[in-house]
Amino acid sequence: SFSDAQSFSLPLRRPQSCEGAQYFDIASLACGQCGPSQRKSVQGTSCSCLPGFKLVSDNGGTSITCEKCPENKSGVTQDGWNCIVCPKGFTAEGKCKCAANEILVERATNGALLDAASCIQCEGTESSFATPNVLGNMCIRCEQTFISVSRSCHCSVPNTLVGSLCFSATGNLPPKGIATVRFGKLGITLISAWFLKNLQASAAACLLYSNLTSCQALGNMCVMNMNYLSSASTDACGLFQYVFANTAGLGNVHSISFWRQNLPWLYYGDQPGLASQVLETAEFPSSFTFKGTNKNIKLKFVAASYDAAGNFLKWQYLEGGIIQLCPDTVTKLNAAYIFGTTYQQKCTISVSRILKDYSDPVFYDVFLEYFDEEDGQQYLWAVPVLNLNLQYNEMFVNRGSNMNSWFLTRRMFLVDTLSGRENDLGNQPKVIRIASEITISIRLVPNTQRGAIYPPLITVSYIDVLLQNPSTQNVMVSFSVSYEMNQSDARTQTDIALGVLGGLAVLWSLLKTAGWKRRIGSPMIDLQTVLKFLLFYAGDLANVFFIITVGTGIYWLIFFKAQQYISVLLPLPTQEDDFVSYVACGFTLKVVQFLHMLVTQLTIDIFFIDWERPKGKVLKAVEGENGIKSTAAPVSIWRTYFIANEWNEIQTIRKINPLFQVLAVLFFLEVVGFSNLALMDPSSSLSRSPESYIAPWSRILRYGVTAVLWLVIAIIQMAYFSVFYERFVEDKIRQFVDLCCMSNISVFLLSNRCFGYYIHGRSVHGHADTNMEEMNMNLKREAENLCSQRGLVPNTDGQTFQISISSKMRQQYDRIHETLTRKHGPVRLLNSSTTTFEQSTKAYHTMNKFLGSFIDHVCIQTFNLGTG
């Protein structure tokens, strides 16, 4: 059982926090005390004997026993288990030491321990050419340059010792190199221990001896210094350029003028401006396809890799995430090299993990492999690198968009944890450099029909990280592959379509404006006319933008996804700006059109004409006369209210169901998988495996797929509604017309001042305000054709019309209508006075009689009636 007060916490201790004679106990994760005559070991996780003490037993940790050496044998052997006489003094650890050109011997050939150690000088003369090894316990053959120059293992004057190499005084040594590394983003320039040790020696060995690894090491140091070039600098790149210029007699490699024999290929020339020739002059010899039997759908990048010392490591394909810092599955990593797939990968990586996984920098010369069908051989095409950190005469020439100012290079690396080490290569680096952004760009040759491309371009941007606390520091890195083509032709065609359709929209808007002028009965062109034209044009221009954007989306959807031999590539996100602006303009203009339509509908005049006539007379009390008067029986207003209510209900009738429309589009997009057609990859599949890479969306394809689905489903709905539903289920508009006829009420609507619509609802039976028996009898007579037809014109069925009235007729209408809206506003207000209500009622009857007479051809000379 556990005690209520029991705690499961412990103090945090680190190995470096154990001081003095304490060591870090890996079992208890705490500091332990070493025993007498002991101190902390170099690793800090155990104890070791003090100088002058030998080991008696060692079981790890503090389980060691030390014993002091006697005065006549005060030294300790290298393994620490025995005491020995040291003839030439002691090291700080109490062990024997020898001179620089001597080796220490403590045991005989058979392993027997000697009483006294001896320091034996290696034979450096011509017979042996021996020198001590790094550990000082064995004689080995000295470095070849010593032998070649001085015929000994000593680089004596006047010869020159550079690093660990010896050069003749008569040799043409390169200028004194500057062992500094620039970390421009941090504003730091430090003296690199790696450069200090190897720069001058590598340059001299490369220049004088054409040493292959030294030349590669020199090139690597130039790459670590971001290929910095300056006419006055003698840093790593300056020395490389010096060696390159002074080895012209060696010739070139593979007839490439930028690739000197024995040297790595670092630059495309010595001046900026050759980028356009490299990237746009020659086509890549192989072509690519999306479909077909002879498919060439993969980019086969292969890299020659080198370590920092210039040793060739191996050829390796870039698949498997070789130059991708973000971890992922092999399938998703390899998707970057499927031709036509736009690839984007981004993640945050801990600096401590980078230090662990990339402790030794690796340098890559990248090529694109292809097969020559004529001779059946495999070939490599060099892939140029655009280093955004490169400086030429203190200027970042690669950061602009002008290709003619770029300075292309060849070699690249992912992480540099070596050049930022100061003083000692065993120290942790002060600064590390990481390839934070890598982009492979593929450009399609204009007007190609067979998938021809220009040479790919690798763009690299490095970030400098000042190490403070690696376990808490993180770096954002990304890797992407983009495809692009010249969009000028597509942009020109779009502009032409916009100009032509925009011009037609102007003509159509002028026709609509002219029609509107006729409908309002005004021949003058005034400010209102201009405003109306602009409003009409806004709606028509919005339709133009819609047609263009939908056409653009369908074009790219069909021609990109369905092509076998590649002739088009999707626009880049930055090239979609015009398309997005067209969509935004279309939406904005549609909002203007919507507001115009809303205002137009709010200003429409609607009047319900009641044809019902009083049936007989009734007795009615007359105020003020104390008597009863016989008057016509009132007509019920409920039929008019009912028709008005039905009119309001049919305002939302559509030929499509909005809810079904939205749900159907979402179903086909997300469930069926049509949304996958909007991905920026060549696949036309509607389903994707969860393990596969999902490419980013194309805004043009998303718009195109969604618009096509929306239009197709809407057309299907309208066809179903018109062909089937209205014929066999219900037609609400025809039902409303029938209801008007059964209610003996007509609808008179003026959408403009002198133009409107009319629904003829006058009952052929004369009365509609009747009982059920008479209503059924009327319907039966109508079904048996025992009465006239419902149409306004005799012997016709036409009940819906467009109407055009004269200005005089409109003026009369306005005079009557003014009574309804004068002073206290509409009659529906509850606070209207009795007098006003009576006036409104009288105006209603007057309007009803006036419009009834109008329809009955009483005022035939004032109107023109046309069927619609």
Side-chain angles (χ1 to χ4, degrees), residues 158-371:
N159 299 320
T160 304
L161 180 65
V162 179
S164 58
L165 304 179
C166 186
F167 296 95
S168 172
T170 59
N172 185 21
L173 290 175
K176 181 66 175 178
I178 302 174
T180 57
V181 180
R182 298 165 174 261
F183 296 97
K185 291 192 174 183
L186 298 177
I188 296 176
T189 300
L190 57 82
I191 298 178
S192 169
W194 176 260
F195 283 35
L196 194 62
K197 178 181 178 181
N198 298 294
L199 176 60
Q200 197 69 35
S202 298
C206 179
L207 176 63
L208 299 180
Y209 301 128
S210 297
N211 184 277
L212 298 181
T213 54
S214 296
C215 292
Q216 296 294 334
L218 176 62
N220 292 341
M221 283 183 273
C222 177
V223 174
M224 284 190 280
N225 216 4
M226 296 291 95
N227 298 94
Y228 174 83
L229 280 180
S230 173
S231 57
S233 176
T234 57
D235 60 1
C237 294
L239 290 181
F240 179 85
Q241 290 291 83
Y242 178 86
V243 174
F244 185 90
N246 285 275
T247 53
L250 298 178
N252 301 322
V253 179
H254 301 299
S255 301
I256 299 174
S257 60
F258 313 127
W259 194 352
R260 183 77 76 241
Q261 189 72 38
N262 301 326
L263 293 177
W265 178 8
L266 296 189
Y267 298 97
Y268 285 84
D270 57 356
Q271 297 289 332
L274 297 176
S276 59
Q277 299 180 30
V278 175
L279 298 176
E280 294 183 339
T281 300
E283 297 181 12
F284 183 67
S286 181
S287 59
F288 295 87
T289 61
F290 284 167
K291 301 177 178 65
T293 55
N294 186 22
K295 294 193 297 183
N296 188 15
I297 62 173
K298 276 201 171 184
L299 295 164
K300 298 179 180 179
F301 287 104
V302 61
S305 55
Y306 301 83
D307 63 10
N311 298 300
F312 177 80
L313 300 178
K314 59 182 175 180
W315 284 104
Q316 54 187 145
Y317 287 98
L318 297 190
E319 291 184 332
I322 298 300
I323 62 171
Q324 295 162 259
L325 291 173
C326 293
D328 213 328
T329 63
V330 175
T331 301
K332 293 183 178 180
L333 291 173
N334 292 346
Y337 306 109
I338 298 176
F339 189 85
T341 299
T342 298
Y343 189 89
Q344 292 180 357
Q345 185 189 43
K346 182 179 292 186
C347 64
T348 301
I349 304 181
S350 170
V351 172
S352 60
R353 178 175 178 177
I354 291 177
L355 290 173
K356 177 183 177 182
D357 296 344
Y358 299 92
S359 56
D360 298 317
V362 178
F363 299 84
Y364 303 97
D365 289 342
V366 183
F367 299 86
L368 186 57
E369 180 183 295
Y370 67 95
F371 178 78

Side-chain angles (χ1 to χ4, degrees), residues 2 17 24 118 186 210 325 330 376 412 428 516 520 523 556 570 628 637 644 682 698 734 768 788 798 862:
F2 294 102
S17 64
F24 184 74
S118 60
L186 298 177
S210 297
L325 291 173
V330 175
M412 59 173 290
Q428 178 177 277
W516 172 78
I520 66 172
W556 288 112
L570 289 173
I628 299 176
I637 194 64
S698 166
R734 178 52 56 185
S788 62
T862 63

Side-chain angles (χ1 to χ4, degrees), residues 417-434:
T417 60
L418 184 62
S419 64
R421 301 175 189 265
E422 291 184 301
N423 304 322
D424 190 350
L425 292 175
N427 295 338
Q428 178 177 277
K430 180 179 180 180
V431 183
I432 63 174
R433 183 169 274 154
I434 303 170

Side-chain angles (χ1 to χ4, degrees), residues 15-30:
Q16 57 267 29
S17 64
C18 299
E19 301 177 349
Q22 292 181 327
Y23 76 102
F24 184 74
D25 190 338
I26 60 175
S28 63
L29 303 180

Side-chain angles (χ1 to χ4, degrees), residues 509-530:
S509 299
L510 287 173
L511 291 175
K512 290 165 70 173
T513 305
W516 172 78
K517 291 293 289 183
R518 289 194 302 270
R519 291 179 177 186
I520 66 172
S522 172
M524 297 179 58
I525 299 178
D526 50 12
L527 182 61
Q528 184 184 14
T529 305
V530 176

